[in-house]
Amino acid sequence: MHLLRSCIVAAVVLVVSFGAAPAADAATGTFIYAGCSPSKYEPNTAYESNLNSLLASIASTASSGAAYNSFTAGGGAGPDPAAGTAAYGLYQCRGDLGPGDCLACVRETVARLGAVCANAYAASLQVDGCYVRYDAANFIGRTDTTTAYRKCSSSRSHDGGFLASRDGVLGELQAAAGYKLSSSGTVQGVAQCLGDVAAADCTACLAQAVGQLKGTCGTALAADVYLAQCYVRYWENGYYFRSNSGNHVSSLNYVH
């Protein structure tokens, strides 16, 4: 029997315009990225029933005030998407959101998943405020540093003060545990790991994200890297990414 898992198969570097809005002030529903499996489930199946139950649990449990939670609905894991009936999922809110904003963000994101990834066996949706993911494979608690999404601003700076401040912020964020905001000079940043990630794995994930920011985005004034279990973002004061003109939806593949 094969073990079913999902992975994001491509990291896309987007150069986008940005405007004035720090991360903590951004609208919590602003779309960032989505991933959808090409494999689709049939309507009126056991998997659809379990998935609906899972998504309902996510939407209702967010009202407890917990910033993170994971869920399982049903059973019957199989060797391929068509054979499995269990559904696994989680949600996470940005660490600075209050319970009411967290609940609203999660419920809105759950509702949007159906439109963005209709009938997909696996899907994830990241907005500025919260993250929701489900899958037919049990991914909960498993180490995964796959790149989900990456973007760099087109504007750059070779100013030594900016680069020193950026490196100072990224150094603090790389050592974060859970959720952290940081600022140095003219640069601000934020980082967060999923709630079920152990401290050592969180540090390793953030180190990989920071390495990608420096290696791919170079001297960009703003940059974001989202891995499967953590993200790191930084921006020059007065600048931050606005929503893309087109929503980025990547493919999630089942690997047997």
Side-chain angles (χ1 to χ4, degrees), residues 202-248:
C202 179
T203 299
C205 188
L206 293 173
Q208 182 171 327
V210 167
Q212 288 195 31
L213 282 177
K214 290 184 176 181
T216 301
C217 296
T219 59
L221 285 177
D224 297 353
V225 168
Y226 287 81
L227 305 183
Q229 292 184 307
C230 71
Y231 66 83
V232 176
R233 316 170 77 174
Y234 77 83
W235 61 96
E236 170 82 355
N237 285 352
Y239 296 95
Y240 201 67
F241 291 112
R242 291 298 190 184
S243 179
N244 300 333
S245 58
N247 291 348
H248 174 63

Side-chain angles (χ1 to χ4, degrees), residues 85-131:
T85 62
Y88 306 88
L90 60 80
Y91 76 85
Q92 174 150 297
C93 290
R94 201 175 67 213
D96 62 337
L97 290 190
D101 290 334
C102 175
L103 174 61
C105 186
V106 169
R107 287 183 172 174
E108 179 183 355
T109 303
V110 167
R112 292 170 72 178
L113 264 178
V116 175
C117 298
N119 298 103
Y121 263 101
S124 61
L125 179 54
Q126 176 77 63
V127 300
D128 200 337
C130 63
Y131 173 69

Side-chain angles (χ1 to χ4, degrees), residues 47-71:
Y47 182 72
E48 181 185 47
S49 176
N50 288 332
L51 177 59
N52 288 339
S53 176
L54 178 104
L55 294 177
S57 294
I58 290 176
S60 63
T61 303
S63 64
S64 69
Y68 169 88
N69 219 322
S70 61
F71 307 83

Side-chain angles (χ1 to χ4, degrees), residues 98-230:
D101 290 334
C102 175
L103 174 61
C105 186
V106 169
R107 287 183 172 174
E108 179 183 355
T109 303
V110 167
R112 292 170 72 178
L113 264 178
V116 175
C117 298
N119 298 103
Y121 263 101
S124 61
L125 179 54
Q126 176 77 63
V127 300
D128 200 337
C130 63
Y131 173 69
V132 175
R133 179 182 176 185
Y134 74 81
D135 204 319
N138 187 2
F139 66 94
I140 306 298
R142 298 185 180 182
T143 302
D144 185 357
T145 55
T146 304
T147 302
Y149 184 59
R150 184 172 63 228
K151 63 183 178 182
C152 316
S153 70
S154 56
S155 297
R156 298 175 179 273
S157 174
H158 296 281
D159 177 73
F162 164 75
L163 294 175
S165 294
R166 184 207 63 175
D167 289 347
V169 166
L170 292 180
E172 286 194 1
L173 296 180
Q174 185 171 319
Y179 175 81
K180 184 173 180 64
L181 287 167
S182 177
S183 64
S184 176
T186 61
V187 179
Q188 299 181 60
V190 61
Q192 187 168 17
C193 290
L194 284 181
D196 63 358
V197 177
D201 291 334
C202 179
T203 299
C205 188
L206 293 173
Q208 182 171 327
V210 167
Q212 288 195 31
L213 282 177
K214 290 184 176 181
T216 301
C217 296
T219 59
L221 285 177
D224 297 353
V225 168
Y226 287 81
L227 305 183
Q229 292 184 307
C230 71

Side-chain angles (χ1 to χ4, degrees), residues 16-40:
V16 300
S17 61
F18 49 87
D25 294 335
T28 56
T30 301
F31 181 97
I32 296 176
Y33 74 86
C36 315
S37 70
S39 302
K40 307 291 184 180

